[in-house]
Amino acid sequence: MTLRAIILGAAAGGGLPQWNCGCENCNLARRGEIPAQTQSSLAVSPDGQNWAILNASPDIRIQLGNTPLLFPTGLREMPVQSVLVTNGDIDHVAGLLTLREMQPFTLFATNSIHDVIAENPIFDALNASVVKRRPILLNEPFELVTNLTATLFPVPGKVPLYLEGEHVQTDLVGEQTVGVALHTQGKSAYYIPGCAALTPELRAQLDGADLLFFDGTLWQDDEMVRTGLGQKTGKRMGHMSMDGPEGSIAGFADMQIGRKVFVHMNNTNPVLRPNSAENAQACAKGWTIGRDGMEITL
Ligand code: MLT
Ligand code: MN
Ligand code: ZN
């Protein structure tokens, strides 16, 4: 059994290009001068036949259409057995609405994330008699798809933007933002598309991993402010950045990880330009810049 992972969408919320963004990257992507990227999602399978989708992005319809391994195998038979969401953010749950049509699958999430979904009646479009909503406890292994065990663990983060109150804690550790651990044949893969900080607990957990997909939202914390696109820093959005002494590239530098792949990249991130100095710098430090359609096997 080999773990297969396909990046369905390598971009963060908004995608590349984002509909209302005239930044350098978005314009290059519109002109076809750099590859466009769809929003945050990963497909995983232990055998190439049964698949789980980790995060249901608003682009899921196009992503499924671009991925022959996920095409229907019969009139209403799908290789996708389950969908798991790692937080309640729009880029990770809005695609659930595309997955209506009375198609059976299991929806996995923590209780808190299930509550967010349940509180919004539009998601009742996923008929409860057809789509089973299964709450998953932190740190308790469960069968994600036949022959593939997963475990959810807490990652520093915040509640979804649309649920933010006046005061926002951006490094909550609990059920609202989780990472996914996948174990198969003595090997381990981790999927963490949103992470506010690399805590000592997280370092201990990830050290020795064979494969890591990690939050690559921004290159620098103040990237959106400097490019004139908004007032928010990466920290305020609950994302650690790649560059700098507190960044993920430095944070993981002394750890033993077989393969490190950035996902969930915001359209402002210069690594999305294949010829940029930042892309070269990240690659020189042992990172792979994820892109739509990239398959990685373990
Ligand atoms: C994030 O990753 O910070 C969110 O997806 C932002 C958003 O909801 O647009
Ligand atoms: Mn996001
Ligand atoms: Zn842009």
Side-chain angles (χ1 to χ4, degrees):
M1 217 88 61
T2 314
L3 181 76
R4 294 177 75 167
I6 302 175
I7 299 176
L8 298 181
L16 173 71
Q18 176 175 311
W19 76 282
N20 65 339
C21 189
C23 81
E24 181 184 0
N25 284 357
C26 287
N27 286 335
L28 286 167
R30 276 187 198 99
R31 294 200 298 266
E33 292 175 29
I34 62 173
Q37 306 293 338
T38 61
Q39 296 169 81
S40 186
S41 181
L42 186 76
V44 294
S45 171
D47 51 20
Q49 305 207 322
N50 298 305
W51 290 83
I53 291 180
L54 309 184
N55 288 323
S57 110
D59 297 320
I60 195 164
R61 177 177 165 279
I62 293 194
Q63 293 167 341
L64 292 173
N66 285 343
T67 313
L69 282 162
L70 303 181
F71 287 179
T73 51
L75 278 179
R76 279 287 193 271
E77 279 141 48
M78 282 296 290
V80 177
Q81 288 187 352
S82 59
V83 176
L84 182 156
V85 297
T86 61
N87 61 24
D89 286 0
I90 290 172
D91 55 348
H92 290 163
V93 303
L96 292 172
L97 298 175
T98 300
L99 302 181
R100 62 197 189 283
E101 322 290 8
M102 298 298 278
Q103 183 65 37
F105 63 90
T106 306
L107 176 59
F108 294 112
T110 63
N111 265 310
S112 299
I113 301 170
H114 271 304
D115 286 348
V116 169
I117 295 169
E119 279 158 19
N120 192 329
I122 198 170
F123 291 107
D124 293 345
L126 296 180
N127 190 309
S129 68
V130 177
V131 176
K132 302 286 176 222
R133 299 190 188 190
R134 270 204 47 205
I136 299 299
L137 297 175
L138 296 176
N139 303 313
E140 296 269 343
F142 64 99
E143 190 169 67
L144 176 66
V145 286
T146 311
N147 293 323
L148 182 59
T149 300
T151 312
L152 302 184
F153 55 91
V155 170
K158 62 169 186 63
V159 298
L161 180 58
Y162 58 87
L163 294 178
E164 285 184 4
E166 203 179 326
H167 301 286
V168 183
Q169 191 185 337
T170 56
D171 59 353
L172 287 170
V173 177
E175 284 198 341
Q176 54 291 314
T177 307
V178 298
V180 186
L182 301 168
H183 291 284
T184 175
Q185 299 254 305
K187 292 190 172 173
S188 58
Y190 290 84
Y191 172 62
I192 307 175
C195 183
L198 188 52
T199 59
E201 295 75 24
L202 210 45
R203 285 176 60 86
Q205 178 158 13
L206 299 178
D207 210 5
D210 296 289
L211 172 60
L212 169 68
F213 295 95
F214 194 76
D215 182 350
T217 306
L218 299 180
W219 175 252
Q220 277 169 339
D221 191 52
D222 62 351
E223 177 175 309
M224 298 192 41
V225 183
R226 274 187 301 104
T227 47
L229 291 167
Q231 291 311 307
K232 276 192 190 162
T233 60
K235 281 204 184 82
R236 173 62 186 76
M237 295 190 293
H239 296 288
M240 63 188 293
S241 303
M242 296 181 179
D243 192 35
E246 288 177 13
S248 47
I249 292 177
F252 283 103
D254 64 343
M255 288 168 62
Q256 295 299 319
I257 296 178
R259 181 134 190 218
K260 297 176 288 196
V261 185
F262 279 125
V263 291
H264 192 278
M265 286 164 286
N266 190 57
N267 55 71
T268 51
N269 193 321
V271 303
L272 288 168
R273 297 193 300 276
N275 295 326
S276 68
E278 292 86 351
N279 183 301
Q281 202 176 318
C283 294
K285 297 287 184 189
W287 285 84
T288 297
I289 307 302
R291 53 182 160 67
D292 286 18
M294 181 182 276
E295 176 169 350
I296 294 176
T297 52
L298 196 59

